[in-house]
Amino acid sequence: MNPGRYNITVYKGTTFQLSPVWKVDNLPVNLTGYTADMQVRQFTDSAILVELSTTNGRIVITPALGQVALTLTAAQTAALTSGNYQYDLNLTSPDGIVYKILQGAFVILDSVTQ
């Protein structure tokens, strides 16, 4: 399965929220027991700029809807360095199978209003 491609733009000092739904054959996948993690890096082998996961509370899964809610607070985005980065979002099933469901550019822009 190939991951979907979705480019994200985040403005520093604003709340970031994105809630993709994982579907197969146009039906939401039941995500009961799944975990999720997402990392943002400049390059695949560079340091992690920001990490979202079900472990750190920045990702919340709604199993029956197949929804994966990603959130960064305004304070968290304010601390990020502006620039062009990349990310991917993985889901891990209860039996340990890892699915890459999304990937793309992660652009952080300065906000005029601060």
Side-chain angles (χ1 to χ4, degrees):
M1 178 179 93
N2 292 324
R5 180 143 187 95
Y6 185 78
N7 296 327
I8 296 171
T9 300
V10 174
Y11 292 89
K12 290 180 65 158
T14 66
T15 301
F16 164 72
Q17 295 177 313
L18 180 68
S19 296
V21 174
W22 187 23
K23 292 183 178 181
V24 174
D25 296 329
N26 211 29
L27 296 171
V29 173
N30 186 326
L31 299 177
T32 300
Y34 278 68
T35 60
D37 62 292
M38 174 179 149
Q39 294 181 343
V40 178
R41 302 171 184 255
Q42 188 168 22
F43 305 105
T44 56
D45 60 350
S46 61
I48 298 168
L49 176 72
V50 65
E51 186 164 19
L52 295 85
S53 69
T54 47
T55 303
N56 69 17
R58 294 178 180 174
I59 298 179
V60 176
I61 295 174
T62 305
L65 300 179
Q67 185 178 59
V68 183
L70 314 170
T71 304
L72 291 171
T73 66
Q76 289 166 333
T77 66
L80 299 176
T81 303
S82 297
N84 296 314
Y85 303 91
Q86 57 190 327
Y87 80 95
D88 57 16
L89 173 62
N90 293 336
L91 294 178
T92 304
S93 71
D95 54 354
I97 299 172
V98 179
Y99 300 93
K100 183 175 304 301
I101 64 164
L102 275 182
Q103 64 181 4
F106 194 95
V107 179
I108 302 168
L109 300 175
D110 288 325
S111 291
V112 174
T113 303
Q114 297 180 17

